Amino acid sequence: MTDATAKPFLYLVVCAAGVAAGVGKLVTAAQERGWEVGVIATPVAMNGFFDTAEAEARTGRPVRSAWRSPADPRPFPPPDAVAVAPATFNTVNKWAAGFADTLAVGTLCEALGLGVPIAVLPCVADALAAHPAYRESLTRLRGLGVRFGARYTGDPEADGRRPEFTWEHALDLLDGT
């Protein structure tokens, strides 16, 4: 954060999981805690997984998903922190391996390299979470200082209801950064 009067800036990376529809809850919670927010989405998440117009209205900034050209101005200031919510199997594995093939994953790779605090709320089914590559990716990213919340599967509880996705936990993981 360069301007002492500016609010800290949070990059919110949104992946393609069904719970992404609730991302506005995290935007609002972050703003209530004093953050400015910029949303970066995976290309697949842009295909109806969340309301991009609502996210743009809430943040006052465009939702980014594609690389900008060198002549284009940067729409976001440098991040003070990054939250990845929901984080999918694919994104976690590509990020841990350093495959910066999308703006979202490239941003995560760069933030990690810059030492920016990063909080992740995984949304990964049991079968995928059991894959050795996923377990290795978590170990690698945790070893590099990435903060992970509990994995959300979306599986119904005994009463048949799906548990809530704990959006604000990403901010709790970043407290004190």
Side-chain angles (χ1 to χ4, degrees):
M1 184 167 44
T2 56
D3 179 356
T5 62
K7 294 180 179 181
F9 202 90
L10 177 70
Y11 283 14
L12 172 52
V13 175
V14 181
C15 301
V19 296
V23 74
K25 294 176 186 177
L26 181 51
V27 171
T28 298
Q31 291 169 332
E32 288 172 353
R33 293 191 192 189
W35 292 90
E36 281 198 54
V37 181
V39 176
I40 300 171
T42 63
V44 177
M46 293 292 289
N47 293 326
F49 280 85
F50 71 107
D51 187 336
T52 57
E54 178 189 0
E56 290 176 346
R58 285 180 189 242
T59 64
R61 297 178 183 274
V63 171
R64 298 199 56 216
S65 182
W67 302 100
R68 65 179 180 81
S69 71
D72 291 339
R74 294 182 180 271
F76 301 163
D80 294 292
V82 177
V84 190
T88 60
F89 174 86
N90 191 46
T91 294
V92 169
N93 286 326
K94 288 195 310 183
W95 175 24
F99 294 133
D101 64 339
T102 66
L103 176 63
V105 180
T107 297
L108 294 173
C109 290
E110 185 176 82
L112 186 63
L114 292 170
V116 174
I118 304 171
V120 181
L121 299 181
C123 183
V124 177
D126 289 340
L128 292 173
H131 193 286
Y134 181 73
R135 292 192 310 267
E136 291 168 9
S137 293
L138 292 179
T139 299
R140 179 177 221 171
L141 292 169
R142 283 185 176 123
L144 294 168
V146 176
R147 304 160 194 185
F148 280 85
R151 182 173 54 88
Y152 178 86
T153 65
D155 289 339
E157 295 178 346
D159 62 5
R161 292 184 297 161
R162 293 194 187 283
E164 288 289 318
F165 189 76
T166 55
W167 292 101
E168 289 190 31
H169 188 54
L171 302 173
D172 298 337
L173 291 167
L174 292 170
D175 275 349
T177 59

